[in-house]
Amino acid sequence: MTVAEPYLVQPAAGVYAYVQPDGGWCLNNAGFVTDGGRTLLVDTAATERRAHALRDAVTAAGAPLPRTVVNTHHHGDHTYGNGVFTPGALVLGHDNARAEQLAAGHQLELIWPATDFGAVEITAPDLTYSDRITLHVGGTEVRVIHPGVAHTTGDSVVWLPDRGIVFTGDLVFAEGTPFLAMGSLAGSLRALELLRSLDAETVVPGHGPLTDPSAYEATERYLRYVADLAGEGRAKGLTPLEAARGADLGEFAAWRESERLVANLHRAYAELAGEPEGVPLDVPAVLRDMTVLNGGTPIPCHA
């Protein structure tokens, strides 16, 4: 492991969050719900090694291996480890998450060829849903809800209403910069309204430490900052990169992965131009601009 070791947090009986510091690129959070006889896992990990560490954490907590894995979206840091848990577990995700995962394939290896991802077998959801689906792990109700196009077109929120706990996937990056390149700025704002309506007490973000609903306010401030910056930049005829390089990040300067600003501006510009939410962007161009904004240094994979 290149940074601090992953750790478990138990916010309620039978509910665990698996946190991978420092929450940077490819260091996502996962979690699981268990009644001692059955286990549901939320997301996996970016590498074979890290997925096995997650598997060991489940068993070390006294839980059986999962029968169900819920993917909050298709990105490899949340799904590459699916194959470590199958065929013993069924993988559940949104309709679009399955299609996006199959289309993306081994994209992370192409972006970060020096990273040892291990023997990753792309394992897309076996079971998909379109709007929402409810599962039960013993007496714990688990609601899986599609918030619309937000971080990606196939996001899922995992909500435990009786426990007041929500796994947001990458709708929330605690202490980190949101990433909208494959989703929608407007949709992400709508997704925050959905999260608020759940009235959760404990928020398990896609990356970073556990938090509470105050994370929604911080995320919204950032998204509105991006929207304002995009409107001003586009009106001045600036490219997303030019707008980003001249920006004052203010309160967001301390957040991880500040280079994502230019990716988010690419998305905001597309929406201002009337493009549909979630329309594919030129990913190589976005990555090049993030590299420039990162001082010319390629963005690092922390896994």
Side-chain angles (χ1 to χ4, degrees):
M1 306 290 182
T2 57
V3 292
E5 293 291 325
Y7 61 89
L8 281 179
V9 180
Q10 186 177 5
V15 183
Y16 297 81
Y18 183 77
V19 180
Q20 297 194 91
D22 60 356
W25 288 104
C26 290
L27 285 179
N28 68 301
N29 294 335
F32 55 98
V33 182
T34 184
D35 67 352
R38 289 175 294 175
T39 300
L40 177 148
L41 179 67
V42 181
D43 284 334
T44 54
T47 70
E48 182 184 21
R49 175 170 54 102
R50 286 184 174 275
H52 278 286
L54 171 58
R55 179 185 171 111
D56 291 345
V58 171
T59 57
L65 291 174
R67 294 184 184 180
T68 307
V69 174
V70 179
N71 286 157
T72 59
H73 59 291
H74 78 279
H75 287 159
D77 52 334
H78 295 256
T79 63
Y80 267 14
N82 286 357
V84 168
F85 297 92
T86 58
L90 177 146
V91 181
L92 168 68
H94 187 262
D95 297 334
N96 291 346
R98 173 181 169 83
E100 288 175 323
Q101 188 179 351
L102 292 173
H106 291 269
Q107 187 178 61
L108 295 190
E109 289 95 323
L110 299 176
I111 297 173
W112 290 291
T115 298
D116 181 9
F117 287 96
V120 172
E121 180 180 349
I122 301 301
T123 307
D126 312 282
L127 177 65
T128 63
Y129 75 100
S130 60
D131 181 44
R132 59 183 62 207
I133 187 170
T134 301
L135 302 92
H136 297 270
V137 181
T140 301
E141 182 179 346
V142 180
R143 298 180 187 175
V144 183
I145 306 167
H146 176 52
V149 181
H151 175 63
T152 69
T153 71
D155 295 313
S156 291
V157 170
V158 181
W159 165 229
L160 313 180
D162 298 332
R163 307 302 181 90
I165 300 167
V166 63
F167 292 82
T168 69
D170 286 359
L171 301 182
V172 175
F173 288 78
E175 302 173 7
T177 305
F179 187 57
L180 312 176
M182 298 177 186
S184 168
L185 173 57
S188 292
L189 287 166
R190 290 195 302 270
L192 289 175
E193 289 305 309
L194 169 65
L195 288 172
R196 288 189 180 98
S197 74
L198 301 178
D199 200 25
E201 297 175 0
T202 301
V203 175
V204 183
H207 296 254
L210 265 66
T211 184
D212 57 40
S214 65
Y216 307 154
E217 309 308 321
T219 301
E220 180 173 356
R221 288 197 303 274
Y222 177 83
L223 296 177
R224 296 200 182 282
Y225 163 80
V226 171
D228 291 343
L229 188 62
E232 294 168 5
R234 192 166 181 266
K236 293 176 181 177
L238 301 178
T239 66
L241 180 58
E242 289 168 339
R245 295 182 83 171
D248 177 2
L249 283 169
E251 67 171 299
F252 313 114
W255 286 6
R256 296 181 311 272
E257 282 77 53
S258 60
E259 69 275 4
R260 291 177 181 163
L261 174 62
V262 71
N264 298 334
L265 286 170
H266 273 279
R267 175 57 62 190
Y269 272 47
E271 292 184 9
L272 287 171
E275 295 286 351
E277 294 177 5
V279 67
L281 300 179
D282 183 343
V283 174
V286 170
L287 291 173
R288 284 195 301 271
D289 280 358
M290 283 197 292
T291 298
V292 172
L293 202 60
N294 196 41
T297 302
I299 54 177
C301 176
H302 294 193

